[in-house]
Amino acid sequence: MVVRTALLSSIGVLAACGASNADSHNTKRSPFPDPDRPVSALGSNQFSTEVKRDSVNEAQKVMDLAGIENGMTVADIGAGEGYYTVRLAERVGQGGRVLAQDIDRDALDRLGKRIERERLDNVSIKQGQPSDPRLPEGSFDRVFMIHMYHEIAQPYAFLWRMWPSLKEGGQVIVVDVDRPADQHGIAPLLLACEFGQAGYQLDAFRDAPEISGYYAQFRRAARRPRPQDIEPCRGGLAAGSTDAAS
């Protein structure tokens, strides 16, 4: 696992660059700032065909990197058609649990039928909201956010409200693509900055073309900031910035 020290050291710079935007949100009802970047339109719930993804062992590689073991409790955020949900369910076994979450009610209905059909008794379903994943506190060893973070309309509120759901030592796993946020991706530096502003620390990062993007792993920081203290990160950071940070 590769930890990018330059990536970590750049987070504060990005947050400071966006600080001038924070005051503009003080008159809004929500205490959380909007992201200083575009938000991708909701894409297809099927990122790629499951056969194609399995041909490169995508889920297995991500689960290996994340250290998924029998008996763990995992949340699959933006579960869609359930590619990761069903594979996580097998990996954690009957002693573990998987919560499949999505804001798309129709997708969850289809996933529910799949879960019944495949008799996955260790999976439950929950509908989330654009600014709140609605996860139970202190419940998860891992939270998966696979090729979906760039679609979250209110990332600071979402991440802040997700923070309490992690168990002690729990981690958030993000897989995304290094390209502009309005093209279904997000630059790694910007991702790390936004997580940092919401009370997380980057544990590990690696470029991973075999899983169609990069892999990032976060843990909770010692404390969660007050919503009004969150400063939006500068969104103009170009994709491909990890080359400069290497």
Side-chain angles (χ1 to χ4, degrees):
M1 186 67 64
V2 179
V3 177
R4 297 286 182 89
T5 55
L7 189 63
L8 288 165
S9 64
S10 300
I11 295 173
V13 176
L14 287 173
C17 289
S20 61
N21 295 329
D23 291 342
S24 66
H25 299 280
N26 290 341
T27 59
K28 292 188 176 182
R29 181 173 301 175
S30 172
F32 297 97
D34 293 326
D36 182 27
R37 59 168 174 83
V39 174
S40 294
L42 294 179
S44 169
N45 282 307
Q46 189 174 30
F47 176 75
S48 180
T49 67
E50 295 198 8
V51 171
K52 184 176 180 180
R53 297 174 86 170
D54 277 345
S55 71
V56 294
N57 294 319
E58 177 190 326
Q60 297 303 318
K61 290 175 181 177
V62 173
M63 290 189 293
D64 288 345
L65 288 171
I68 302 300
E69 299 177 350
N70 189 281
M72 281 186 167
T73 302
V74 183
D76 182 15
I77 306 297
E81 305 294 330
Y83 173 72
Y84 272 88
T85 298
V86 299
R87 288 156 181 80
L88 284 166
E90 180 180 1
R91 184 76 165 249
V92 302
Q94 287 302 309
R97 296 290 302 175
V98 177
L99 176 64
Q101 185 263 32
D102 207 296
I103 64 172
D104 186 334
R105 183 71 255 174
D106 291 339
L108 287 180
D109 289 343
R110 293 192 297 272
L111 179 55
K113 293 176 181 177
R114 179 177 186 177
I115 289 168
E116 291 181 3
R117 185 170 64 250
E118 299 188 21
R119 300 181 183 276
L120 300 176
D121 297 332
N122 60 345
V123 176
S124 56
I125 289 176
K126 188 176 186 67
Q127 186 170 13
Q129 298 175 348
S131 62
D132 188 352
R134 301 178 66 205
L135 301 180
E137 293 188 11
S139 297
F140 298 101
D141 299 292
R142 301 288 187 272
V143 173
F144 272 41
M145 306 177 77
I146 310 297
H147 293 296
M148 58 74 63
Y149 179 80
H150 51 266
E151 296 178 354
I152 299 175
Q154 296 293 328
Y156 298 108
F158 192 95
L159 293 175
W160 191 89
R161 290 172 175 141
M162 187 174 76
W163 195 93
S165 72
L166 291 171
K167 293 181 180 179
E168 186 69 28
Q171 296 169 329
V172 181
I173 308 303
V174 178
V175 174
D176 220 310
V177 183
D178 184 8
R179 60 188 178 211
D182 56 354
Q183 297 178 28
H184 294 281
I186 187 166
L189 279 173
L190 184 54
L191 174 80
C193 182
E194 292 185 352
F195 265 81
Q197 284 295 302
Y200 300 82
Q201 293 181 339
L202 179 67
D203 262 351
F205 176 88
R206 62 175 290 172
D207 292 313
E210 71 275 16
I211 57 173
S212 300
Y214 60 79
Y215 172 95
Q217 182 176 297
F218 298 89
R219 60 183 167 87
R220 292 193 309 192
R223 66 177 185 86
R224 184 172 55 160
R226 298 184 306 168
Q228 59 267 34
D229 292 336
I230 295 175
E231 298 175 346
C233 301
R234 179 170 56 86
L237 184 68
S241 56
T242 51
D243 293 337
S246 300

